[in-house]
Amino acid sequence: MAGSGIRVLVAEEVKSFLPYVEVPADVEIEWLSASQPVPEGDYPGLLPLLSRRIDAAVLDRLPRLAVVANYAVGYDNLDLEALRARGIAASNTPDVLTEATADLTWGLILAVARRLCEADRLARTGEWAWHPTLLLGMQLEGRRLGLLGAGRIGQAVGRRARPFGMEVTYWDLLKQAEFEGEVGARRVESLEVILAGSDVVSIHLQLSDETAGLIGARQLNAMKEGAVLINTARGGVVDEDALCAALKAGKLRGAGLDVYADEPQINDCLKALPNVVLLPHVGSATEDTRRRMFELAWANLMRGIRGAPLVTPI
Ligand code: DGY
């Protein structure tokens, strides 16, 4: 039953992190599970998961909403125009998930380059013997990593490339001078050129009108023969049918994906290929990181409901 406190709607799936934050005496939490629609009501704060679309129709149900504290660094689930039009503040969770996501990206790079999932499947059959050409993969040393996007996560992925002996290039609107100095990374000004020159292409772009479907048949065709494509950003950046065709044609050696255009659905064509490693959007899934994401989202929520400046506004 509703009391007289400040009511906030919080994704039920983050409930286990609640002991890590302080809940002010005047704040009342209403848990909202992913399967429930947003209820109508006078809630000044909302903390949703990335799987919940927050658009005009949802906002119309929440006339007193002051803040949406997204539990994710990506915010393609938020209709920013609709939020702006209503004067509602919004925040995301940058920084706290950078290292976990970069680690996972490297997990995928290694898994695809060295065929770890194929090897695991074969080992379990018991029907194998050591052989000089068994499951040969791509040696990373001396190869070139091409980062599409060199924001926080792209740079963290780039920093991890040095110990593997990889050369690092990046494609980004901004020149990242410090990153270049630290990692020896080189900026490439055209998408086509970085695609054509990279042995491993790793995507670290936000999903937006500009990046939706950015990697389609033409771009995949521009990639180096036998290269690897990794995506831990947003599925919608890649045309999955075109990717599957490029893999089937042998143009690419393999792909490692943590994100999909229509989550939780995964393209059947990709699922049928042995040289694709598929993960269920677990880039930031470490205990520490998911807790820190909650702490940050909660801090934003608490500030937003009181009209204070957000910690990490969008
Ligand atoms: C994000 O935060 O945007 C990731 O996709 C999940 O942590």
Side-chain angles (χ1 to χ4, degrees):
M1 202 163 91
S4 56
I6 305 174
R7 293 156 74 209
V8 292
L9 281 169
V10 179
E12 187 162 41
E13 294 73 14
V14 296
K15 206 174 193 170
S16 61
F17 301 115
L18 194 66
Y20 296 102
V21 300
E22 200 184 308
V23 182
D26 61 345
V27 169
E28 251 180 62
I29 300 176
E30 258 180 57
W31 299 106
L32 182 64
S33 79
S35 57
Q36 262 176 279
V38 171
E40 264 181 63
D42 287 342
Y43 303 91
L46 171 63
L47 190 156
L49 300 184
L50 56 79
S51 46
R52 188 180 290 279
R53 175 100 192 120
I54 307 296
D55 55 15
V58 169
L59 297 177
D60 286 346
R61 307 169 73 83
L62 304 168
R64 299 269 308 278
L65 196 64
V67 61
V68 176
N70 213 32
Y71 184 71
V73 69
Y75 46 83
D76 47 287
N77 60 314
L78 307 184
D79 181 339
L80 293 183
E81 225 169 89
L83 285 161
R84 241 176 254 131
R86 290 163 175 77
I88 300 168
S91 63
N92 63 343
T93 61
D95 294 318
V96 292
L97 46 63
T98 300
E99 305 306 326
T101 308
D103 287 349
L104 195 280
T105 303
W106 271 91
L108 278 175
I109 294 173
L110 288 164
V112 177
R114 297 300 303 274
R115 306 174 65 179
L116 299 187
C117 296
E118 286 174 81
D120 176 85
R121 289 191 290 268
L122 178 63
R124 287 167 199 266
T125 67
E127 294 182 6
W128 60 277
W130 192 90
H131 189 283
T133 61
L134 179 66
L135 284 167
L136 300 185
M138 176 202 272
Q139 179 129 349
L140 295 175
E141 187 189 21
R143 307 267 171 167
R144 190 181 291 163
L145 172 65
L147 302 167
L148 305 190
R152 299 176 188 83
I153 297 172
Q155 290 189 28
V157 170
R159 278 196 289 277
R160 285 158 172 73
R162 290 300 293 272
F164 287 97
M166 291 189 84
E167 186 193 330
V168 181
T169 57
Y170 70 99
W171 178 69
D172 197 284
L173 284 178
L174 303 174
K175 180 176 167 66
Q176 305 288 359
E178 208 176 303
F179 175 56
E180 291 186 9
E182 186 189 349
V183 173
R186 185 170 53 79
R187 181 167 176 238
V188 176
E189 299 219 354
S190 114
L191 178 60
E192 277 63 34
V193 173
I194 196 166
L195 291 174
S198 302
D199 301 288
V200 176
V201 171
S202 191
I203 300 174
H204 303 287
L205 298 165
Q206 288 182 9
L207 180 61
S208 65
D209 290 347
E210 289 73 42
T211 62
L214 181 75
I215 305 301
R218 197 160 57 82
Q219 291 70 26
L220 292 162
N221 199 41
M223 283 177 70
K224 216 168 168 176
E225 294 291 320
V228 163
L229 183 74
I230 304 294
N231 190 6
T232 56
R234 283 293 182 268
V237 176
V238 176
D239 175 339
E240 292 170 348
D241 289 330
L243 173 60
C244 196
L247 287 159
K248 272 185 166 168
K251 167 78 187 171
L252 302 185
R253 174 186 293 267
L257 307 174
D258 185 42
V259 288
Y260 309 92
D262 186 22
E263 296 181 8
Q265 305 307 318
I266 301 184
N267 181 301
D268 284 334
C269 177
L270 290 172
K271 281 198 282 191
L273 296 180
N275 52 341
V276 183
V277 177
L278 302 168
L279 305 181
H281 202 150
V282 287
S284 62
T286 71
E287 291 153 12
D288 292 346
T289 292
R290 289 285 165 84
R291 173 178 48 75
R292 287 187 199 130
M293 286 168 67
F294 181 67
E295 289 166 345
L296 182 52
W298 180 261
N300 280 309
L301 186 73
M302 290 302 99
R303 282 169 177 248
I305 57 174
R306 301 189 196 274
L310 304 185
V311 189
T312 48
I314 293 171

